[in-house]
């Protein structure tokens, strides 16, 4: 009986510990997932912060009304997993704020050196842009990131995506072969360096830098900026 009692106590203690570990894991997941984070103070512009240097926008790709009262700027890498997650928030932003003319979105390419396919992906989006399909390719690249991310040469896959989007595949392939937009992407990367932006995704709403990019902070700061204006 003593042995059975000891085993029962051990099982009880083990069960309690397991429950505690599950609760801790759930709490950590809640706190570290932007879309599920509890309400907290939204980020604000640093004291004395200057307006975002809008002249740099010419190095990114813009979407929306040029006169929209609020501008959201994202510095991203197509091979960055976090950027692919944030792309879902960008799509929602487009539907709820960009389409009605409340927000203009500017996407800056910041291909990181450790991501060998980030530059070709950025070029693929820009080459698609030559056929008025930049944002459709942008969304497709992020949606299928896991398929092309580790490919030895993703250009053939990107050409297939272009055909899927109804683009002229030969024109797209020639654009990629010529590295036609590499200089544009490098200028975008230099703009990031000028602003001391080194990581992705880095997101600004006007001159407010998000601390935890996700829908909660993005929409919250956008709403606050709209009210202030």
């Amino acid at each position: 009986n003593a042995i059975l009692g000891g085993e029962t106590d051990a099982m009880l203690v083990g069960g309690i510990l397991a429950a505690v570990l599950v609760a801790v894991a759930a709490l950590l997941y809640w706190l570290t997932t932007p879309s599920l984070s509890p309400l907290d103070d939204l980020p604000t512009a640093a004291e004395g912060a200057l307006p975002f240097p809008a002249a740099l926008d010419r190095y990114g790709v813009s979407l929306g009304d040029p006169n929209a009262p609020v501008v959201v700027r994202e510095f991203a890498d197509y091979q960055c997993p976090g950027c692919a997650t944030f792309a879902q928030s960008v799509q929602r932003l487009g539907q709820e704020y960009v389409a009605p003319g409340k927000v203009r979105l500017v996407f800056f390419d910041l291909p990181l050196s450790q991501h060998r396919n980030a530059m070709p992906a950025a070029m693929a989006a820009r080459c698609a842009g030559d056929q008025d399909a930049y944002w459709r390719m942008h969304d497709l690249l992020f949606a299928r990131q896991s398929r092309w991310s580790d490919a030895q040469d993703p250009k053939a896959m990107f050409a297939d995506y272009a055909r899927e989007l109804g683009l002229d595949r030969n024109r797209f392939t020639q654009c990629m072969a010529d590295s036609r937009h590499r200089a544009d992407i490098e200028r975008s990367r230099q703009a990031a360096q000028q602003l001391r932006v080194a990581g992705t995704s880095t997101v600004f709403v006007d001159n407010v830098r998000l601390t935890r990019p996700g829908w909660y902070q993005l929409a919250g700061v956008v709403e606050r900026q709209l009210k202030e204006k």
Side-chain angles (χ1 to χ4, degrees):
N1 290 339
I3 293 175
L4 290 175
E7 291 178 349
T8 301
D9 290 342
M11 291 177 62
L12 180 61
V13 171
I16 293 173
L17 287 174
V20 169
L21 290 173
V22 169
V24 169
L27 178 61
L28 287 173
Y29 179 77
W30 179 276
L31 291 175
T32 56
T33 303
S35 61
L36 300 177
S37 298
L39 296 179
D40 55 11
D41 291 334
L42 293 171
T44 58
E47 185 176 353
L50 297 174
F52 188 98
L56 296 179
D57 288 351
R58 66 183 184 276
Y59 302 128
V61 181
S62 294
L63 177 68
D65 186 346
N67 298 314
V70 172
V71 183
V72 172
R73 298 171 174 92
E74 179 189 9
F75 292 82
D77 171 317
Y78 279 102
Q79 200 174 339
C80 154
C83 299
T85 299
F86 186 70
Q88 299 171 31
S89 296
V90 171
Q91 289 183 11
R92 187 172 174 182
L93 180 79
Q95 296 165 1
E96 298 187 19
Y97 291 98
V98 177
K102 298 178 180 179
V103 166
R104 177 167 60 90
L105 172 66
V106 187
F107 183 91
F108 289 89
D109 288 302
L110 181 53
L112 303 177
S113 58
Q114 63 267 34
H115 291 157
R116 67 182 181 187
N117 289 340
M119 176 61 82
M123 288 196 296
R126 300 245 182 180
C127 285
D130 289 346
Q131 300 185 53
D132 300 321
Y134 179 87
W135 293 101
R136 287 190 291 148
M137 181 64 83
H138 165 281
D139 293 347
L140 192 58
L141 289 170
F142 278 129
R144 298 184 183 175
Q145 184 188 82
S146 61
R147 302 186 191 181
W148 58 262
S149 184
D150 294 326
Q152 289 297 318
D153 183 2
K155 292 181 180 179
M157 299 177 70
F158 296 157
D160 288 340
Y161 295 168
R163 181 175 57 187
E164 183 178 334
L165 293 173
L167 308 185
D168 182 324
R169 180 180 173 130
N170 290 336
R171 180 181 170 189
F172 176 88
T173 301
Q174 189 61 52
C175 177
M176 293 291 291
D178 294 343
S179 298
R180 189 172 304 161
H181 292 289
R182 178 178 287 272
D184 298 325
I185 296 165
E186 290 295 349
R187 282 191 282 268
S188 176
R189 181 152 52 186
Q190 289 166 11
Q193 293 171 349
Q194 179 177 331
L195 294 167
R196 298 182 181 179
V197 171
T200 57
S201 282
T202 295
V203 182
F204 292 88
V205 179
D206 291 334
N207 67 340
V208 180
R209 182 170 177 166
L210 300 190
T211 54
R212 296 168 68 186
W215 181 248
Y216 164 71
Q217 277 201 358
L218 179 62
V221 177
V222 164
E223 285 290 345
R224 188 184 64 201
Q225 295 298 103
L226 286 170
K227 289 178 182 178
E228 290 180 357
K229 296 181 178 183

